[in-house]
Amino acid sequence: MYIKDIELNNFRIYKGNNKISLLPDNDKNIIVISGKNGFGKTTFLMSLVWCLYGKQMEKVDELYEKEIKDKGNYTKYISNSLNRKAYEEGETEFSVSVTFSGVKIPDVTCNEVTIKRSYNIVSNSSDRVEVLIDGYQNQLIEDLTKENQKGEEIFIRDFILPIEIAKFFFFDAEKIVSLAEINSNNQRRQLSKAYSEVLGIQKYEDLKANLEEKQDEYRRRSARPEEKEELNQLHADIENTKIEIERLIENNDDLKHERNQKEKEAEDIQRRLIKEGDKMTLEELNSLREEQLKLEEKKTAVLENLRKYFDIIPFALAGETLMNISEQLTNERNLIEQKYKQDDVNSKINQIKLEIERQRIEERLVFDTNVRDFYESQIVKLIKKHFFSDIPDVPDNFEVLHDFSSSETNEFNHLVNMIKHSFKESFARLNTEYSYLKNQIDSINRKIRDAEKSAEDDYIAGLRMKKEIVDKRILSISNEVETINQKIGEFNNQMKIFKQKQEILRKKIDESSEYSDKEQKTKQIINRLQTFIALFKEEKKKSLEEKMLHGLNTLMHKKDFITKVEVDISHTGEDIDITLYNTRNKIIDKGSLSMGERQMYASALLNALVDESDIEFPVFIDSPMQKFDEQHAENIIKHFYPNVSKQVVIFPLINKELTEKEYHQLHKKVCKTFLIENLSNEKSEFRECQPNEFLETYKELYNAD
């Protein structure tokens, strides 16, 4: 899939109609779009994200989430996107359209797909989205429409790019280091969902779920009345729980939007109070607010890490029990190893005894029974001693209690090792850091409150009362959000219990029922699909590990600094972790990597994911070459940008994020170059130039030497 062209009409700084063609040329896959700060680079990238996802764009990048929050809500944020000059001239609408080629749509032949999103600041309360296939509307869009979702939005998600993985294709090269800093359970769950989508695992999981629902129809026919009733009830419970979770998530989103509005309102009132009180300049207030925001972000991150440890505290308190379980699991693993090896030992011993017996018969030798028994027992003992001494001993009365899979055992051992080696120190450090940050925030809040104090006139009193009401509502919303999050967690746990009960009941019905050939075939397909998913996950895991390791050793100038990459996906598929190992097979703390190394890690991860996926989508990179030394920059130019996608669009600041030397290294893979020419404060436009004339045109246009 390629983006053929993008058209912006009265969108922010791009007044009127601005069209840019981005198709690559044969093996030249890189397009360079540059301009000075404020000329419209980031706006151009944002226009593309908005065109595809509209209100959901905040899920693609924290930058958009923050900007929407600062404006109060999405409507206020996006309505400011009409070009100022166009607004003065009476225009009320702006739009962005993107034309794709090479889009694969089952049972539909198409050369091009155009997606256009527009917004009218007067008549529109929401975006208007159009999808044209080869220039015409298609029945497919209407067929996709659901009660609460537009067909156009579903089409973009299903056939263009799911929003869960958009962050892998639209990113700020300086900010992707955040991928190396993902630690909280929630962050890992979100990343795991994105990995499942990008690696193609999710579509097989969905297919398996659909087949299992179909098989449940067969089970209802042959189940006893009480089993049928229980199966129906569990199905209803699961569906109702899903609906309830979706409703709670929707409520949470509404509450968060309201909180954003109230926080903006409280900030405006606070500014007026300080201005009236003449206790602090607005510059000083802004400085305090920025410091407060940074501290709040740090506190939230530390609290997330602390919450992760809260889940571990009960295990740490039950240390003796945990060690008993660890010993039990070790013995269970030894028993399995013993069984496999013992079978091998017995096979070889029997073979030796047979050969000895054959030789005895040939030579017509006769032994006393006691002598024969003695030598046979000695042969068995000595073979075990000298050839199989590594077989672990397990007590004869040993009983298997847990029967963990390899991945479950690894998860448990990881938990035990963390409690033994790092839990106490890490928890104490995080707790101290949290207390320090909280005290710092309280200190800033006191300074702001002191600045608000003024003469007790009616106007000031009214402002204070209004702010108090707004602050109470903000606190109330935060409490509601926290309560809803807890409820969502409870419903998710309840869902797991329902599914476990459903699986047990399914097995019970299957064991006591007889099915038709068609029903048996469905069961076989599900079993084969389940086996395939497990193998597919393992294959993707190994391939991802190999490609990441290769990518890291290619991009980093510390050769053999990382010798192993381990991708650990929980058996439920809801959690994923990536661990790096050094030459001593010790875990590398990703937090100890330099910013440049973290960017190398994130780049290697992105490259491996895109390479492993079946998704052919252009990659857009803002602020490339940040945090790189000369060798890292050269490795990125040689190995990352030319290979990460068939169409790569980069937005560098010349001489800062892409030097003349680096451009010449990249030049042979560059097919098109554009400069953003700023004609006035209200207008920029694209200027295409030949790649070999790009730097000279840049110097001429911007008077840069």
Side-chain angles (χ1 to χ4, degrees):
M1 183 191 306
Y2 297 99
I3 289 181
K4 181 182 177 184
D5 52 56
I6 300 174
E7 192 171 332
L8 294 83
N9 186 28
N10 286 332
F11 188 82
R12 299 203 169 194
I13 202 167
Y14 295 97
K15 184 181 183 299
N17 189 270
N18 292 266
K19 191 172 183 178
I20 183 170
S21 175
L22 299 177
L23 275 179
D25 180 21
N26 297 322
D27 64 333
K28 294 184 176 183
N29 64 324
I30 297 174
I31 297 102
V32 180
I33 302 174
S34 183
K36 288 192 172 182
N37 279 331
F39 282 15
K41 289 192 295 90
T42 303
T43 294
F44 177 67
L45 184 57
M46 175 256 185
S47 74
L48 180 57
V49 176
W50 176 70
C51 178
L52 293 179
Y53 303 113
K55 188 176 182 179
Q56 300 296 312
M57 65 188 295
E58 64 182 356
K59 295 181 180 179
V60 177
D61 195 300
E62 290 178 359
L63 170 67
Y64 308 133
E65 184 181 18
K66 183 180 182 302
E67 287 182 349
I68 291 169
K69 182 178 179 180
D70 289 345
K71 290 294 181 183
N73 58 37
Y74 170 77
T75 302
K76 290 180 180 178
Y77 168 73
I78 204 61
S79 60
N80 282 327
S81 296
L82 177 65
N83 180 269
R84 290 194 296 267
K85 190 68 175 174
Y87 176 73
E88 290 173 6
E89 293 174 358
E91 299 280 354
T92 60
E93 186 167 294
F94 59 88
S95 65
V96 177
S97 66
V98 183
T99 300
F100 296 88
S101 64
V103 180
K104 296 175 183 176
I105 307 172
D107 303 322
V108 176
T109 303
C110 74
N111 294 315
E112 293 182 354
V113 172
T114 298
I115 296 169
K116 180 179 180 182
R117 190 179 295 269
S118 53
Y119 190 91
N120 191 301
I121 63 171
V122 175
S123 61
N124 275 12
S125 58
S126 61
D127 312 336
R128 187 172 71 255
V129 190
E130 298 174 82
V131 174
L132 301 178
I133 299 176
D134 287 337
Y136 298 96
Q137 293 182 342
N138 193 288
Q139 180 64 35
L140 171 65
I141 306 301
E142 190 175 330
D143 293 342
L144 289 171
T145 301
K146 295 180 181 178
E147 185 178 343
N148 58 347
Q149 282 185 299
K150 294 178 180 177
E152 291 83 357
E153 305 285 5
I154 296 172
F155 177 87
I156 293 168
R157 184 191 68 201
D158 289 354
F159 299 111
I160 303 297
L161 188 68
I163 194 168
E164 291 86 359
I165 62 175
K167 67 182 71 176
F168 296 129
F169 295 88
F170 305 98
F171 61 85
D172 184 316
E174 187 176 8
K175 293 178 182 174
I176 59 168
V177 295
S178 60
L179 285 175
E181 298 164 353
I182 287 175
N183 290 311
S184 74
N185 292 336
N186 188 46
Q187 287 174 317
R188 290 206 304 273
R189 276 194 294 270
Q190 289 177 348
L191 198 60
S192 176
K193 186 177 180 182
Y195 285 175
S196 292
E197 287 279 0
V198 79
L199 295 176
I201 296 170
Q202 191 59 47
K203 61 185 178 184
Y204 294 113
E205 295 280 9
D206 292 341
L207 176 60
K208 176 172 165 283
N210 291 336
L211 284 170
E212 284 175 338
E213 284 193 17
K214 184 67 178 175
Q215 194 179 20
D216 278 347
E217 293 179 15
Y218 301 144
R219 289 187 177 103
R220 290 186 187 96
R221 295 174 192 168
S222 57
R224 295 197 298 270
E226 62 272 18
E227 291 174 337
K228 181 178 179 180
E229 183 181 350
E230 187 180 354
L231 192 63
N232 287 337
Q233 185 60 52
L234 283 169
H235 181 78
D237 288 340
I238 290 169
E239 291 304 310
N240 289 335
T241 305
K242 285 180 183 176
I243 292 169
E244 191 61 26
I245 289 172
E246 289 173 4
R247 185 186 67 78
L248 288 171
I249 291 172
E250 193 175 326
N251 286 352
N252 241 0
D253 288 341
D254 291 341
L255 284 168
K256 287 175 182 176
H257 286 144
E258 184 188 350
R259 183 170 60 187
N260 291 344
Q261 289 178 282
K262 294 298 181 185
E263 285 175 347
K264 185 74 170 62
E265 188 179 340
E267 189 177 329
D268 291 339
I269 296 171
Q270 191 176 71
R271 289 178 185 275
R272 278 186 279 166
L273 279 169
I274 290 170
K275 185 178 178 181
E276 292 295 330
D278 199 27
K279 293 281 184 180
M280 183 185 293
T281 66
L282 287 178
E283 288 76 14
E284 289 170 333
L285 171 64
N286 287 335
S287 178
L288 273 179
R289 295 287 294 180
E290 286 177 13
E291 187 180 353
Q292 182 190 44
L293 184 61
K294 289 177 183 175
L295 290 170
E296 286 286 359
E297 288 174 352
K298 287 181 181 178
K299 190 183 86 168
T300 302
V302 171
L303 185 58
E304 272 291 322
N305 286 327
L306 270 174
R307 282 176 176 159
K308 178 179 70 174
Y309 283 106
F310 290 162
D311 295 336
I312 297 169
I313 288 174
F315 295 101
L317 293 174
E320 186 178 347
T321 303
L322 209 64
M323 294 311 297
N324 290 338
I325 294 173
S326 180
E327 185 180 347
Q328 172 74 16
L329 290 176
T330 300
N331 285 333
E332 288 184 12
R333 186 171 64 251
N334 289 342
L335 184 67
I336 293 170
E337 291 177 3
Q338 185 189 63
K339 181 180 180 301
Y340 288 135
K341 289 186 178 181
Q342 191 65 53
D343 289 345
D344 190 37
V345 172
N346 291 337
S347 173
K348 285 182 169 58
I349 289 172
N350 289 334
Q351 187 65 34
I352 290 169
K353 286 164 69 176
L354 282 171
E355 290 183 16
I356 291 173
E357 182 64 15
R358 195 179 299 119
Q359 191 65 31
R360 183 192 68 79
I361 293 170
E362 285 181 8
E363 296 185 15
R364 298 179 179 179
L365 297 174
V366 178
F367 295 113
D368 180 86
T369 305
N370 292 332
V371 172
R372 183 171 177 170
D373 290 344
F374 169 78
Y375 278 108
E376 281 192 0
S377 65
Q378 288 302 309
I379 287 170
V380 171
K381 188 185 298 182
L382 292 171
I383 286 175
K384 287 183 178 180
K385 177 181 177 181
H386 293 290
F387 295 99
F388 300 98
S389 59
D390 61 330
I391 296 179
D393 291 325
V394 177
D396 294 336
N397 61 347
F398 181 75
E399 182 181 355
V400 174
L401 300 177
H402 305 296
D403 194 22
F404 277 14
S405 65
S406 296
S407 61
E408 288 171 331
T409 304
N410 289 337
E411 286 180 46
F412 182 83
N413 289 337
H414 178 71
L415 172 66
V416 172
N417 288 332
M418 185 174 65
I419 291 173
K420 285 170 65 177
H421 301 300
S422 64
F423 170 72
K424 185 177 179 181
E425 289 181 6
S426 298
F427 183 77
R429 177 179 55 77
L430 286 169
N431 195 43
T432 302
E433 188 178 353
Y434 179 79
S435 300
Y436 171 76
L437 291 169
K438 189 173 181 300
N439 290 336
Q440 291 290 98
I441 292 167
D442 289 342
S443 175
I444 289 175
N445 287 336
R446 282 195 298 272
K447 289 178 183 178
I448 293 173
R449 283 198 301 271
D450 289 343
E452 292 173 356
K453 292 178 181 176
S454 182
E456 292 295 331
D457 57 39
D458 291 341
Y459 176 68
I460 296 295
L463 283 178
R464 283 180 178 163
M465 185 177 293
K466 189 174 181 181
K467 185 173 184 299
E468 188 177 342
I469 292 170
V470 173
D471 285 342
K472 283 182 179 178
R473 180 55 187 153
I474 292 170
L475 181 61
S476 172
I477 291 171
S478 296
N479 290 336
E480 286 182 61
V481 167
E482 184 64 29
T483 301
I484 288 175
N485 284 334
Q486 289 176 3
K487 286 182 180 178
I488 290 172
E490 290 169 6
F491 276 120
N492 279 324
N493 289 333
Q494 192 65 52
M495 176 95 76
K496 288 179 183 177
I497 293 169
F498 287 146
K499 287 184 175 180
Q500 287 170 356
K501 289 182 177 179
Q502 186 184 51
E503 195 58 36
I504 292 168
L505 183 59
R506 282 170 171 171
K507 288 179 180 178
K508 183 181 175 183
I509 294 172
D510 288 346
E511 287 170 0
S512 60
S513 303
E514 293 184 7
Y515 295 113
S516 67
D517 291 343
K518 184 169 73 171
E519 292 163 351
Q520 287 287 359
K521 191 68 175 175
T522 304
K523 184 179 178 181
Q524 289 171 13
I525 292 171
I526 291 172
N527 290 337
R528 287 172 62 186
L529 190 57
Q530 192 165 344
T531 303
F532 170 79
I533 290 171
L535 293 171
F536 185 70
K537 280 183 179 179
E538 187 62 26
E539 180 187 316
K540 287 292 183 183
K541 163 183 151 56
K542 288 181 179 177
S543 184
L544 199 59
E545 288 171 344
E546 290 171 3
K547 286 179 178 173
M548 272 201 70
L549 181 60
H550 175 74
L552 284 165
N553 285 324
T554 301
L555 296 176
M556 285 188 174
H557 51 62
K558 290 183 185 175
K559 296 306 176 187
D560 296 325
F561 167 51
I562 296 168
T563 57
K564 187 172 79 170
V565 176
E566 191 174 85
V567 177
D568 185 22
I569 304 174
S570 68
H571 69 282
T572 60
E574 293 178 356
D575 195 6
I576 190 165
D577 198 14
I578 297 176
T579 308
L580 309 178
Y581 292 86
N582 61 20
T583 52
R584 299 186 305 280
N585 205 34
K586 299 292 184 183
I587 294 174
I588 298 171
D589 179 7
K590 293 194 282 286
S592 68
L593 299 175
S594 70
M595 292 303 286
E597 287 170 339
R598 291 187 203 185
Q599 200 165 335
M600 291 292 101
Y601 165 82
S603 299
L605 173 58
L606 287 165
N607 200 16
L609 281 170
V610 173
D611 195 35
E612 273 300 302
S613 75
D614 293 327
I615 299 168
E616 292 187 354
F617 195 87
V619 169
F620 291 79
I621 307 167
D622 198 7
S623 302
M625 317 306 290
Q626 285 275 21
K627 307 294 183 188
F628 292 150
D629 57 30
E630 189 174 352
Q631 189 174 346
H632 276 156
E634 185 176 345
N635 289 340
I636 282 285
I637 287 168
K638 283 184 178 178
H639 304 291
F640 181 62
Y641 291 148
N643 301 313
V644 69
S645 174
K646 292 180 181 178
Q647 186 179 21
V648 180
V649 185
I650 63 173
F651 301 84
L653 279 172
I654 301 301
N655 296 327
K656 183 182 178 184
E657 297 164 354
L658 187 69
T659 65
E660 188 169 342
K661 178 184 176 182
E662 289 163 353
Y663 178 75
H664 285 308
Q665 291 172 337
L666 190 68
H667 177 260
K668 65 179 181 180
K669 300 296 291 185
V670 175
C671 62
K672 290 182 180 179
T673 56
F674 297 87
L675 289 168
I676 300 173
E677 187 173 3
N678 185 240
L679 305 178
S680 70
N681 289 334
E682 289 85 21
K683 185 173 183 179
S684 287
E685 63 182 25
F686 303 110
R687 176 171 172 175
E688 185 172 5
C689 47
Q690 292 300 317
N692 59 350
E693 299 172 357
F694 174 63
L695 293 177
E696 288 302 317
T697 308
Y698 171 84
K699 292 174 184 177
E700 176 189 325
L701 186 62
Y702 298 138
N703 298 316
D705 293 323

